[in-house]
Amino acid sequence: MASVNPEELVVRRLDGANVQGMAVVSRIVTNTFFTCIDEAKTAIAEVEPEAVVMMGGLSGRAMVTVERIAQNLNDGTRYGVTDNTGWAV
């Protein structure tokens, strides 16, 4: 696990910002498989945003990237990725 989460830094920096007249409301969900889904759903229900942008980190990427496709695919074992509890699906 990286000592710094660059995506979290971006999210914290943008929280409360105004981008072209749109207020940015950031939420950070836990890095725990399936729990994060419920947390994201709750945040979306609370904020009722016009758009949702989700970010995720993958070790080895050279830059912060925005998720392009919303897939409910968990292939952590394929890449040797585990959540904060050490669990891989």
Side-chain angles (χ1 to χ4, degrees), residues 25-29 36-54 70 72:
V25 178
S26 299
R27 294 292 187 266
I28 298 169
V29 298
C36 61
I37 296 169
D38 292 333
E39 291 177 8
K41 286 179 179 180
T42 298
I44 291 167
E46 288 173 358
V47 175
E48 297 181 345
E50 292 186 35
V52 175
V53 176
M54 301 182 94
N72 291 323

Side-chain angles (χ1 to χ4, degrees), residues 9-18 23-27:
L9 297 176
V10 170
V11 167
R12 289 189 186 281
R13 179 77 181 253
L14 288 175
D15 189 36
N18 186 301
V24 177
V25 178
S26 299
R27 294 292 187 266

Side-chain angles (χ1 to χ4, degrees), residues 23-87:
V24 177
V25 178
S26 299
R27 294 292 187 266
I28 298 169
V29 298
T30 58
N31 179 16
T32 305
F33 294 135
F34 307 111
T35 302
C36 61
I37 296 169
D38 292 333
E39 291 177 8
K41 286 179 179 180
T42 298
I44 291 167
E46 288 173 358
V47 175
E48 297 181 345
E50 292 186 35
V52 175
V53 176
M54 301 182 94
M55 300 175 73
L58 181 61
S59 181
R61 283 189 182 161
M63 65 184 76
V64 172
T65 56
V66 175
E67 300 292 343
R68 297 178 299 134
I69 301 171
Q71 289 182 298
N72 291 323
L73 174 64
N74 185 344
D75 56 359
T77 54
R78 178 177 176 187
Y79 298 102
V81 176
T82 60
D83 67 13
N84 284 346
T85 66
W87 190 52

